[in-house]
């Protein structure tokens, strides 16, 4: 607080000369070089186009947050790439070709604002025969993964499964699965599957006896299937380490060992919590050892608790969250999923989601990760985009992103920002370039060709598709998906909020209006979008970064910060405290860079596309209001 008050006095004295208003060249007027020298002793950057000296460092987990080589807090935001891996049409790969992978990566950066992907892999394709790893599949997957790494997008692979395996299902079955290879299913000699009166594919998890039996066998290592999986996982990680360049491998953030784990059936007297302790956590420890053996010692395992630990339907919820694993430490990240099953049911939640709808659910994720001493990522979240409950998607997704940004609802944020909590990382389900254009033979049945939606159990959640010209376009409001967020904070994030003004049909959703107590800030924002970050500076020299949505024109973006107040931020240089630079990858996406020169000081930055060419007196008044608000609230 004393630092802020000193800065406030100094800036008020020279305020008239410190404001940059209309007429400043836009950020595109001068583009920083692809690589630039760092501070003394730093290594030269070797990253994708648009990279600066502080880009491309491997991530670690420290103090319960993701951090980069400069000690900055990192937030991962992006998508799952993709449910196509569940299908047979492209051989268990996310894309039909490397060219499609590159098209997808470029679009994900430019349209979706993502800086990370959860990259799905198939055990069935990696080990089609027991003991034989298919290096041709791994080579193809590596090349597709490289497309995202070359675009500056961080990647964490995921060995995906749903309903254990497609090979549990016959050609005439209503549902299908993915994951385990055919030989693993044949080892179990499971009976003909049947879910009974199942209205949703997920009911198979608990109601389909062969699915439950197969899952049970995996966790108990029956027929040695878990040992085989771990060996294949180690071979996969060793292959990636060997065939990716050092700079590319630095972009691999970790590995998700197993999607949505569930016991299948519990042993007598066993509960969800004891199952996690006795079977799930030992599996993760074994996987961690395999990571170390494959050369992934410095990368965390993204471990998921029991699928139902944080369900929002009381009859589904089961005690868990790896409660008995102790302090996870830097070798693990808490990776969890969240879908509003009440909203998806169409019965248990009438109407739309509202301000703060998922604050408690995502606060539980923050609290569990904090207690475990590690970072958290919501590695899947989303909502159907067609069908009877699709009308809820705009509000459900807005509320989920709101809960990722802050643990507070909008109505409380301005009064209690210090309770905002860390900004959560998350990857939305999903980014499928082939949405609505599939040709999938469901369970290899030529009489059941699936083309619509995700082509998998009647799901339709992809936020992207190709138009008739083969161009990637969004299926959801760009204002919802391409968001302002703090991708790297030089110090400690204290609070963040973003009012995206996304739409539900013709209605603009505003859940966090600027309060009347800050009239000049409210006037500056007007009906535009705004984000506000508050942080305390650290000891490094790299700047704080916020992803700037593509729809924020640089020449019409306003930044009000204690570091400088700018309308039309200029290009970033080492002498520019507030400036714009390309994001790595050469995809045309931009970031706002905020550079401080202190340690332990309180900083704030409001970013808005509200008022056009605001006058200097309005900018000064808004600055004074924000400075006073920050000093009072922190």
């Amino acid at each position: 607080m004393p630092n802020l008050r000193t800065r406030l006095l100094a800036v008020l004295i020279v305020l008239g000369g410190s404001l940059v208003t209309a007429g400043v060249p836009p950020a595109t007027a001068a583009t920083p070089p692809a690589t630039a020298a760092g501070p003394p002793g730093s290594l030269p950057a070797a990253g994708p186009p648009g990279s600066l000296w502080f880009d491309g460092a491997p991530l670690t987990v420290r103090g319960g947050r993701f951090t980069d080589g400069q000690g900055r807090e990192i937030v991962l935001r992006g998508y799952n790439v993709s449910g196509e891996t569940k299908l047979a049409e492209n051989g268990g790969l996310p894309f039909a070709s490397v060219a499609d992978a590159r098209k997808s990566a470029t679009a994900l950066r430019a349209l979706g604002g993502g800086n990370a992907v959860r990259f799905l892999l198939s055990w069935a394709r990696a080990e089609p025969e027991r003991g034989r790893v298919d290096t041709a599949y791994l080579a193809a997957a590596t090349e597709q993964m490289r497309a995202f790494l070359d675009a500056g997008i961080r990647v964490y692979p995921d060995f995906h499964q749903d309903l254990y395996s497609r090979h549990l299902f016959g050609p005439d079955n209503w549902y299908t699965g993915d994951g385990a290879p055919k030989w693993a299913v044949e080892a179990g000699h499971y009976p003909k599957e049947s879910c009974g009166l199942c209205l949703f594919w997920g009911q198979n998890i608990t109601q389909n006896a062969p699915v439950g039996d197969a899952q049970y066998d995996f966790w108990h290592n029956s027929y040695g299937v878990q040992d085989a999986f771990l060996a294949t996982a180690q071979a996969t990680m060793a292959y990636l380490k060997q065939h990716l360049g050092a700079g590319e491998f630095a972009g691999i953030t970790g590995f998700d060992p197993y999607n949505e784990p569930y016991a299948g059936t519990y042993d007598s007297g066993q509960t969800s919590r004891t199952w996690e302790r006795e079977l799930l956590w030992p599996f993760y420890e074994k996987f961690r050892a395999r990571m170390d053996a494959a050369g992934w010692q410095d990368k965390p395992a993204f471990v998921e608790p029991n699928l139902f630990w944080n369900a929002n339907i009381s009859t589904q919820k089961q005690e868990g969250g790896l409660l008995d694993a102790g302090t996870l430490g830097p070798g693990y990240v808490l990776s969890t999923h969240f879908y509003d099953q009440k909203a998806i049911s169409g019965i248990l939640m009438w109407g739309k989601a509202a301000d703060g709808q998922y604050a408690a659910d995502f606060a539980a994720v923050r609290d569990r990760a904090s207690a475990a001493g590690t970072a958290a990522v919501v590695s899947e979240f989303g909502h159907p985009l067609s069908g009877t409950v699709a009308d809820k998607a705009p509000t459900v997704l807005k509320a989920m992103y709101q809960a990722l940004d802050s643990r507070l609802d909008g109505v409380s944020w301005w009064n209690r920002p210090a309770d905002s909590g860390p900004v959560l990382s998350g990857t939305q389900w999903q980014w499928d370039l082939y949405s609505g254009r599939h040709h999938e033979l469901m369970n290899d049945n030529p009489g059941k060709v699936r083309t619509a939606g995700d082509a998998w159990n009647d799901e339709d959640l992809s936020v992207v598709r190709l138009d008739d010209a083969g161009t990637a376009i969004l299926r959801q409001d760009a204002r919802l998906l391409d968001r302002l967020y703090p991708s790297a904070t030089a110090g400690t994030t204290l609070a963040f909020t973003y009012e995206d003004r996304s739409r539900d049909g013709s209605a603009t959703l505003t859940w966090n209006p600027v309060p009347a107590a800050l009239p000049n800030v409210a006037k500056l924002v007007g009906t535009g979008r705004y984000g506000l970050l508050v942080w305390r500076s650290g000891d490094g020299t790299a700047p704080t970064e916020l992803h700037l949505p593509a729809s924020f024109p640089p020449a019409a973006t306003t930044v009000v910060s204690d570091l400088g107040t700018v309308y039309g931020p200029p290009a970033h240089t080492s002498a520019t405290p507030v400036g714009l630079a390309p994001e790595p990858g050469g995809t045309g996406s931009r970031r706002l860079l905020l550079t401080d020169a202190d340690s332990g000081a309180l900083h704030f930055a409001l970013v808005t596309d509200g008022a056009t060419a605001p006058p200097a007196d309005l900018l000064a008044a808004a600055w004074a209001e924000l400075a006073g608000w920050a000093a009072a609230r922190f």
Side-chain angles (χ1 to χ4, degrees):
M1 190 177 296
N3 286 323
L4 182 61
R5 287 173 176 165
T6 301
R7 186 183 298 275
L8 175 60
L9 177 61
V11 174
L12 284 175
I13 293 173
V14 297
L15 190 58
S18 68
L19 299 177
V20 180
T21 55
V24 174
T28 53
T31 303
T35 59
S42 67
L43 295 175
S51 293
L52 298 171
W53 67 265
F54 41 81
D55 294 325
L59 295 192
T60 57
V61 177
R62 188 175 66 186
R65 314 284 176 97
F66 290 110
T67 61
D68 68 3
Q70 318 305 321
R72 299 181 300 174
E73 290 183 359
I74 301 298
V75 172
L76 304 175
R77 287 286 176 88
Y79 305 86
N80 282 261
V81 178
S82 74
E84 172 69 21
T85 300
K86 300 184 184 185
L87 308 181
E89 62 183 4
N90 284 325
L93 292 166
F95 303 98
S97 65
V98 174
D100 279 0
R102 294 194 180 280
K103 175 188 289 189
S104 187
T106 299
L108 189 144
R109 264 289 204 197
L111 300 179
N115 67 356
V117 294
R118 182 172 180 248
F119 192 98
L120 274 60
L121 296 171
S122 167
W123 176 23
R125 300 290 177 167
E127 191 185 9
E129 300 172 13
R130 187 171 194 141
R132 180 179 72 84
V133 174
D134 187 344
T135 55
Y137 173 76
L138 297 185
T142 301
E143 287 306 306
Q144 294 189 8
M145 200 177 293
R146 181 175 281 118
F148 289 85
L149 296 168
D150 287 349
I153 296 170
R154 297 187 186 270
V155 173
Y156 62 104
D158 156 52
F159 263 124
H160 207 80
Q161 72 80 36
D162 280 303
L163 308 185
Y164 191 69
S165 173
R166 72 183 285 120
H167 300 289
L168 284 170
F169 298 83
D172 296 321
N173 289 144
W174 290 2
Y175 300 104
T176 190
D178 79 299
K182 186 177 182 179
W183 63 260
V185 172
E186 290 176 341
H189 303 287
Y190 302 110
K192 182 178 175 62
E193 69 82 29
S194 176
C195 192
L197 297 176
C198 289
L199 299 179
F200 304 99
W201 73 260
Q203 292 175 270
N204 285 270
I205 298 171
T206 55
Q207 293 178 216
N208 195 321
V211 172
D213 291 345
Q215 293 179 95
Y216 179 93
D217 284 346
F218 179 86
W219 298 115
H220 289 79
N221 197 28
S222 302
Y223 321 109
V225 292
Q226 188 181 118
D227 286 343
F229 172 82
L230 289 168
T232 299
Q234 180 178 336
T236 299
M237 290 184 283
Y239 187 95
L240 289 170
K241 176 72 159 51
Q242 180 182 358
H243 290 86
L244 291 172
E248 293 168 333
F249 190 62
I252 302 290
T253 62
F255 208 111
D256 186 334
Y258 196 92
N259 179 70
E260 297 183 352
Y262 183 64
T265 56
Y266 294 122
D267 287 318
S268 177
Q270 194 175 54
T271 65
S272 171
R273 179 168 180 171
T274 59
W275 173 78
E276 283 191 347
R277 181 178 68 235
E278 296 165 2
L279 290 169
L280 182 60
W281 183 248
F283 165 75
Y284 286 146
E285 290 182 312
K286 294 174 187 175
F287 195 94
R288 174 69 265 172
R290 298 286 185 153
M291 293 179 72
D292 294 345
W296 291 50
Q297 297 93 331
D298 297 328
K299 299 182 186 295
F302 286 59
V303 294
E304 300 184 32
N306 178 309
L307 168 62
F308 299 112
W309 85 278
N310 199 27
N312 71 335
I313 297 178
S314 59
T315 55
Q316 287 186 344
K317 193 177 183 69
Q318 299 181 20
E319 185 182 23
L322 304 175
L323 294 170
D324 300 310
T327 301
L328 302 187
Y332 301 92
V333 165
L334 182 72
S335 174
T336 187
H337 298 175
F338 185 82
Y339 293 93
D340 185 349
Q341 296 296 341
K342 292 181 180 179
I344 292 173
S345 74
I347 299 171
L348 299 177
M349 185 188 106
W350 296 98
K352 309 294 183 70
D355 177 25
Q357 185 92 13
Y358 308 116
D361 298 299
F362 284 54
V365 175
R366 288 178 170 87
D367 292 342
R368 183 66 209 111
S370 176
T374 191
V377 57
V378 183
S379 49
E380 282 190 29
F381 62 97
H383 190 82
L385 299 184
S386 64
T388 58
V389 298
D391 65 307
K392 302 178 189 295
T395 56
V396 166
L397 266 298
K398 180 180 173 73
M400 288 180 177
Y401 274 110
Q402 179 192 49
L404 286 172
D405 289 344
S406 170
R407 64 188 298 149
L408 297 173
D409 55 11
V411 74
S412 304
W413 194 89
W414 283 92
N415 290 328
R416 298 192 293 116
D419 296 329
S420 190
V423 180
L424 284 177
S425 294
T427 46
Q428 185 174 343
W429 187 272
Q430 65 160 325
W431 189 272
D432 175 18
L433 212 60
Y434 310 113
S435 174
R437 294 175 177 269
H438 294 281
H439 191 271
E440 173 71 4
L441 278 60
M442 184 176 180
N443 296 321
D444 302 317
N445 185 341
K448 298 178 72 174
V449 178
R450 297 292 181 255
T451 60
D454 302 341
W456 197 85
N457 287 340
D458 296 324
E459 284 199 338
D460 183 15
L461 283 86
S462 177
V463 305
V464 71
R465 68 177 179 87
L466 297 178
D467 65 12
D468 291 341
T471 302
I473 59 174
L474 295 179
R475 301 179 62 217
Q476 288 185 275
D477 186 355
R479 288 183 285 192
L480 172 69
L481 298 177
D482 188 11
R483 308 176 62 78
L484 188 83
Y485 63 92
S487 53
T489 301
T492 302
T493 302
L494 301 179
F496 176 71
T497 190
Y498 179 53
E499 178 50 77
D500 56 40
R501 313 275 194 186
S502 57
R503 295 160 291 190
D504 180 10
S506 60
T508 297
L509 301 173
T510 301
W511 291 353
N512 191 358
V514 179
L518 302 172
N520 291 291
V521 176
K523 184 177 181 181
L524 180 67
V525 169
T527 59
R529 295 165 291 177
Y530 79 89
L532 179 53
L533 174 68
V534 184
W535 75 102
R536 194 170 297 281
S537 58
D539 297 326
T541 56
T544 290
E545 301 183 30
L546 291 97
H547 168 72
L548 194 68
S551 55
F552 269 58
T557 295
T558 300
V559 181
V560 178
S561 171
D562 65 293
L563 299 173
T565 299
V566 181
Y567 176 70
H572 167 75
T573 70
S574 59
T576 306
V578 179
L580 294 177
E583 287 181 317
T587 58
S589 54
R590 297 180 298 273
R591 49 185 163 168
L592 176 69
L593 302 180
L594 305 166
T595 306
D596 62 63
D598 48 34
S599 177
L602 187 67
H603 297 288
F604 65 86
L606 173 82
V607 185
T608 181
D609 65 348
T612 300
D617 59 346
L618 176 59
L619 293 172
W623 184 94
E625 287 178 353
L626 285 171
W629 169 84
R633 293 294 188 272
F634 296 91

